[in-house]
Structure formats: structure tokens, C-alpha cells
Amino acid sequence: RGSWTLFDDDTGRAAIEDGLLTIRAGQPQLVSWAQPGQRYDDFDLTVSAGLIDGPANAPYGVFFRVVDESNYYYLQFTGEGAWSVYQYEKPNWITLADYGYPPEINRFGSMNTIRIVADGAHFTFYANDSYLGEVFDDAYASGDIGLAVGNYVEIGATAQFDDLVIYPVR
């Protein structure tokens, strides 16, 4: 279990099941997420993640450099195979990268190996060992990470996460 923020309430559920972190978003227009409660600045993060239940267009992914619940970055995937990157500065979602549907991203029901390299204000993103893109943004220099899944209108989005590894950038 470690130090993950696990929960089961009206916002959703985060639990360790069969060695996987499983997160379910419990309300429409809501992202549910679990955090390890650590602080990272420059890092090379890899995690296996996939949408396993709910609507195929539901978002899931990795929050990084989480300053607090109102300030962070979000590398988002969908079960339809899309990816994008946002900066959240409550109440605004600022699109940093919106690249569409590359064939390297596995769809609903399959896991993806997601990688983020955060080196200063330079972020590089990968899926399944394929380069997706990069962005530059200096809004947040350090913070926690979060593993997340969300709902749009339909509820029931559930994602699983496994094999999280975080190394310092070399």
C-alpha cells in the first residue's frame, strides 16, 4: 500500500487490487486521483496504465509537479487512443500539447507504458517506447505526482496502474 492516498467515497475509489492500483471516478465531470505524497522536481517516470471499464472516451493518465489541488500538469490519454498535455491553474485548463491519435497508443482495455521526462521546464512524453512530443513550461518547478482517471458525462471510468518507477534525470 505504501503512502498512496487510497479512498472509497462519493468521488470514486482508489484501491490496491491484485497488485495494481485501480482508480474509479465516481461522478460526472470529475477526475479521481491517488498520490504517493512525495515531492519531485526533475524526474524520469514510467508507469503502465490503461482504461479497463466505463466509457471508451474517458481520460486517464499522470498528474505531475502537483503543487496542490489547484496547480499541476496532466499528461492525459483516452481509451480511444488520444493523448494531450495540460497545465491546470484553477479554474483554467491550459492546453500545452494536443496531438490527436497516434497509432502507438493502445486503446480501451489495453495497457500503455507511459513515460514522462521532466528536466527543468522541458517535458518529453512517450507511449510504449514511442516518442509522442515535448513541451516547455516553467509554471511549476516541483511537486507530487498523481495517477488519475475521469468521467465526462457518463460515469464508471476505471483505470489500472502498475510498475511505477521514478528516477532522477541524469
Side-chain angles (χ1 to χ4, degrees), residues 11 16 27-28 41 49 66 75 91 96 122 134 150-151 156 169:
T11 66
I16 305 292
Q27 297 177 6
D41 41 35
V66 178
L75 171 59
L96 301 178
H122 180 215
E134 56 195 282
N151 291 314
V169 171

Short mmCIF file of all heavy atoms in Angstrom, two decimals, residues 11 16 27-28 41 49 66 75 91 96 122 134 150-151 156 169:
data_model
loop_
_atom_site.label_atom_id
_atom_site.label_comp_id
_atom_site.label_asym_id
_atom_site.label_seq_id
_atom_site.Cartn_x
_atom_site.Cartn_y
_atom_site.Cartn_z
N THR A 11 -16.73 10.46 -4.45
CA THR A 11 -15.93 10.95 -5.58
C THR A 11 -15.34 9.81 -6.40
O THR A 11 -14.89 10.02 -7.52
CB THR A 11 -14.77 11.85 -5.10
OG1 THR A 11 -13.84 11.07 -4.35
CG2 THR A 11 -15.28 13.02 -4.28
N ILE A 16 -5.64 -0.78 -3.95
CA ILE A 16 -4.66 -1.73 -4.49
C ILE A 16 -5.38 -3.08 -4.58
O ILE A 16 -5.85 -3.61 -3.58
CB ILE A 16 -3.43 -1.86 -3.56
CG1 ILE A 16 -2.79 -0.49 -3.29
CG2 ILE A 16 -2.43 -2.85 -4.16
CD1 ILE A 16 -2.14 0.16 -4.47
N GLN A 27 -18.16 10.35 -10.24
CA GLN A 27 -19.14 11.37 -10.60
C GLN A 27 -18.85 11.91 -12.00
O GLN A 27 -17.70 11.86 -12.46
CB GLN A 27 -19.08 12.54 -9.60
CG GLN A 27 -19.45 12.16 -8.20
CD GLN A 27 -19.30 13.34 -7.24
OE1 GLN A 27 -19.02 14.46 -7.64
NE2 GLN A 27 -19.49 13.06 -5.96
N PRO A 28 -19.88 12.46 -12.67
CA PRO A 28 -19.63 13.08 -13.97
C PRO A 28 -18.77 14.34 -13.81
O PRO A 28 -18.79 14.98 -12.76
CB PRO A 28 -21.02 13.44 -14.49
CG PRO A 28 -22.00 13.11 -13.44
CD PRO A 28 -21.28 12.47 -12.30
N ASP A 41 11.25 17.09 -8.47
CA ASP A 41 11.49 18.21 -9.37
C ASP A 41 11.82 17.64 -10.75
O ASP A 41 10.94 17.41 -11.53
CB ASP A 41 12.52 19.20 -8.84
CG ASP A 41 13.71 18.55 -8.16
OD1 ASP A 41 14.13 17.47 -8.59
OD2 ASP A 41 14.21 19.13 -7.20
N ALA A 49 -0.35 1.87 -17.66
CA ALA A 49 -1.68 2.37 -17.34
C ALA A 49 -2.65 2.03 -18.46
O ALA A 49 -2.26 1.96 -19.63
CB ALA A 49 -1.64 3.88 -17.15
N VAL A 66 2.59 18.33 -9.06
CA VAL A 66 1.37 18.75 -8.37
C VAL A 66 1.77 19.61 -7.18
O VAL A 66 2.30 19.12 -6.19
CB VAL A 66 0.55 17.53 -7.89
CG1 VAL A 66 -0.68 17.98 -7.12
CG2 VAL A 66 0.17 16.64 -9.06
N LEU A 75 -0.65 14.78 -18.02
CA LEU A 75 -0.48 14.03 -19.26
C LEU A 75 -1.68 13.10 -19.35
O LEU A 75 -1.82 12.18 -18.55
CB LEU A 75 0.83 13.22 -19.26
CG LEU A 75 0.99 12.23 -20.43
CD1 LEU A 75 0.93 12.93 -21.78
CD2 LEU A 75 2.27 11.43 -20.27
N PRO A 91 -9.23 28.16 -12.17
CA PRO A 91 -10.12 27.14 -12.74
C PRO A 91 -9.80 26.81 -14.20
O PRO A 91 -10.64 26.25 -14.90
CB PRO A 91 -11.49 27.80 -12.64
CG PRO A 91 -11.19 29.24 -12.95
CD PRO A 91 -9.82 29.50 -12.32
N LEU A 96 -1.21 22.48 -23.45
CA LEU A 96 0.20 22.61 -23.80
C LEU A 96 0.54 21.76 -25.02
O LEU A 96 1.43 22.11 -25.78
CB LEU A 96 1.10 22.21 -22.63
CG LEU A 96 0.91 23.02 -21.34
CD1 LEU A 96 1.83 22.49 -20.24
CD2 LEU A 96 1.18 24.50 -21.59
N HIS A 122 11.47 21.61 -19.46
CA HIS A 122 11.36 20.79 -20.67
C HIS A 122 10.76 19.43 -20.32
O HIS A 122 11.31 18.70 -19.49
CB HIS A 122 12.75 20.61 -21.29
CG HIS A 122 12.76 19.81 -22.54
ND1 HIS A 122 13.79 18.97 -22.86
CD2 HIS A 122 11.87 19.70 -23.56
CE1 HIS A 122 13.55 18.38 -24.01
NE2 HIS A 122 12.38 18.81 -24.46
N GLU A 134 6.98 16.94 -27.06
CA GLU A 134 7.58 17.63 -25.92
C GLU A 134 6.99 19.03 -25.82
O GLU A 134 6.47 19.57 -26.79
CB GLU A 134 9.09 17.68 -26.06
CG GLU A 134 9.60 18.30 -27.34
CD GLU A 134 11.07 18.00 -27.55
OE1 GLU A 134 11.90 18.65 -26.90
OE2 GLU A 134 11.37 17.10 -28.36
N GLY A 150 -10.89 9.92 -15.15
CA GLY A 150 -12.01 10.85 -15.04
C GLY A 150 -13.21 10.44 -15.86
O GLY A 150 -13.14 9.55 -16.72
N ASN A 151 -14.31 11.11 -15.59
CA ASN A 151 -15.55 10.95 -16.34
C ASN A 151 -15.88 12.26 -17.02
O ASN A 151 -15.59 13.34 -16.50
CB ASN A 151 -16.72 10.61 -15.40
CG ASN A 151 -16.60 9.25 -14.78
OD1 ASN A 151 -16.30 8.27 -15.45
ND2 ASN A 151 -16.83 9.17 -13.48
N GLY A 156 -18.37 5.80 -14.46
CA GLY A 156 -17.89 4.42 -14.46
C GLY A 156 -16.49 4.23 -14.98
O GLY A 156 -15.99 3.11 -15.08
N VAL A 169 16.58 12.63 -13.19
CA VAL A 169 17.08 12.87 -14.55
C VAL A 169 18.60 12.90 -14.48
O VAL A 169 19.18 13.50 -13.59
CB VAL A 169 16.52 14.20 -15.12
CG1 VAL A 169 17.20 14.56 -16.41
CG2 VAL A 169 15.04 14.10 -15.33
#
